[in-house]
Amino acid sequence: MTDTVDAAWQRILTLADEPARPDSPLSKAFAELVRVAHAEPRLRGLYPWSGMWELHFSRCTEQRHTWDILYIGTLADGRYYVEGPGRNSPRTAETESARVAVARVVDRLPPACGPAFAGNAEELAAHERARGRG
């Protein structure tokens, strides 16, 4: 089943506004991050997903998601880090501002990024090859 980008953003926004652990110091920072990222049109067109207080962006709507976009995480002191695109990639920034972290991701988006493709990473790659972009 293909999820829509809008539905995924609504789930992430709800998660941020009604965290399972409201007493966690990461909840407030993560909520701010989600709101700032959602306000950015280039990120709002991508499929968001989260885990471990990180906000990820995919160029496709189904799992296996793409791992070619930087992601943003929250630190215990309320700051943010930018890493990626993969798990083994180095941290590229730490900042006190969700806006600065989001701008860093936007500045490093892959060419012709978005809107999210309805399907998984393999289907997106095949689609891009067929169009001469892969």
Side-chain angles (χ1 to χ4, degrees):
M1 175 179 159
T2 300
D3 195 4
T4 68
V5 171
D6 289 340
W9 272 111
Q10 287 308 308
R11 273 195 310 279
I12 297 277
L13 288 162
T14 299
L15 173 71
D17 288 340
E18 301 170 9
R21 296 189 49 207
D23 58 329
S24 170
L26 299 173
S27 293
K28 183 178 178 181
F30 185 75
E32 174 69 8
L33 170 61
V34 170
R35 285 190 291 273
V36 170
H38 182 258
E40 170 52 54
R42 293 196 58 202
L43 295 182
R44 196 171 48 246
L46 299 173
Y47 187 89
W49 57 281
S50 66
M52 302 184 313
W53 302 104
E54 295 173 344
L55 183 58
H56 296 258
F57 310 95
S58 177
R59 294 187 308 117
C60 61
T61 61
E62 293 181 20
Q63 291 189 13
R64 179 178 77 86
H65 294 296
T66 59
W67 277 86
D68 56 353
I69 299 172
L70 297 176
Y71 59 91
I72 306 166
T74 54
L75 295 165
D77 62 3
R79 295 180 315 122
Y80 304 91
Y81 62 87
V82 180
E83 288 183 356
R87 282 278 181 217
N88 295 325
S89 301
R91 185 164 293 180
T92 64
E94 288 187 11
T95 179
E96 295 179 13
S97 167
R99 291 188 194 291
V100 169
V102 165
R104 177 82 169 210
V105 171
V106 171
D107 287 345
R108 295 195 178 186
L109 286 173
C113 186
F117 176 82
N120 63 36
E122 291 80 14
E123 293 165 335
L124 171 60
H127 174 75
E128 289 178 337
R129 278 192 305 275
R131 296 190 62 185
R133 290 179 25 191

